[in-house]
Amino acid sequence: QLQLLESGGGLVQPGGSLRLSCAASGSTLDHFAIGWFRQAPGKEREGVSCISSSGDNTNYADSVKGRFTISRDNAKNTVYLQMNSLKPEDTAVYYCNARRQQPLVGRTVDYWGQGTQVTVSS
């Protein structure tokens, strides 16, 4: 089974940068679309960005457009989220999600990592 492990979180000052990684094991990521989500204390989980299995298509929440970049390296079985110009409002636990559609067997498969903490504070 696919397992996901996020890394790269930490404490950064406003205006700084971090790069999050989502590394997969147990299976390859090349057939999965990947999404990054975040959840701050007392708030709902929010979709941040997603990337298609091929890497050709990406989407971003309005709150992070122009600042965050999602990418993937299927050879390394890893997806990245480059976060620039960080703001205190970006503080949250960031989660990686992998989704695979399998229409021939009539199912969608979802996997989640356990999250990595990002704190933006001076």
Side-chain angles (χ1 to χ4, degrees), residues 12-17 83-88 120:
V12 65
Q13 291 185 312
S17 298
M83 306 186 296
N84 298 327
S85 302
L86 283 162
K87 304 174 180 179
V120 185

Side-chain angles (χ1 to χ4, degrees), residues 83-99:
M83 306 186 296
N84 298 327
S85 302
L86 283 162
K87 304 174 180 179
E89 307 92 88
D90 297 318
T91 296
V93 177
Y94 284 70
Y95 298 92
C96 178
N97 167 262
R99 171 169 286 184

Side-chain angles (χ1 to χ4, degrees), residues 23-94:
S25 61
S27 186
T28 59
L29 275 181
D30 55 355
H31 295 296
F32 290 84
I34 306 297
W36 284 97
F37 296 79
R38 66 186 182 187
Q39 187 167 23
K43 297 183 179 179
E44 294 184 344
R45 186 177 64 184
E46 173 190 18
V48 176
S49 183
C50 59
I51 187 167
S52 62
S53 59
S54 68
D56 292 337
N57 297 302
T58 59
N59 283 285
Y60 299 91
D62 288 342
S63 59
V64 306
K65 283 182 179 177
R67 300 188 298 119
F68 290 11
T69 303
I70 191 170
S71 62
R72 66 191 300 159
D73 186 341
N74 285 345
K76 295 182 178 179
N77 224 21
T78 302
V79 177
Y80 305 96
L81 184 67
Q82 178 67 47
M83 306 186 296
N84 298 327
S85 302
L86 283 162
K87 304 174 180 179
E89 307 92 88
D90 297 318
T91 296
V93 177
Y94 284 70

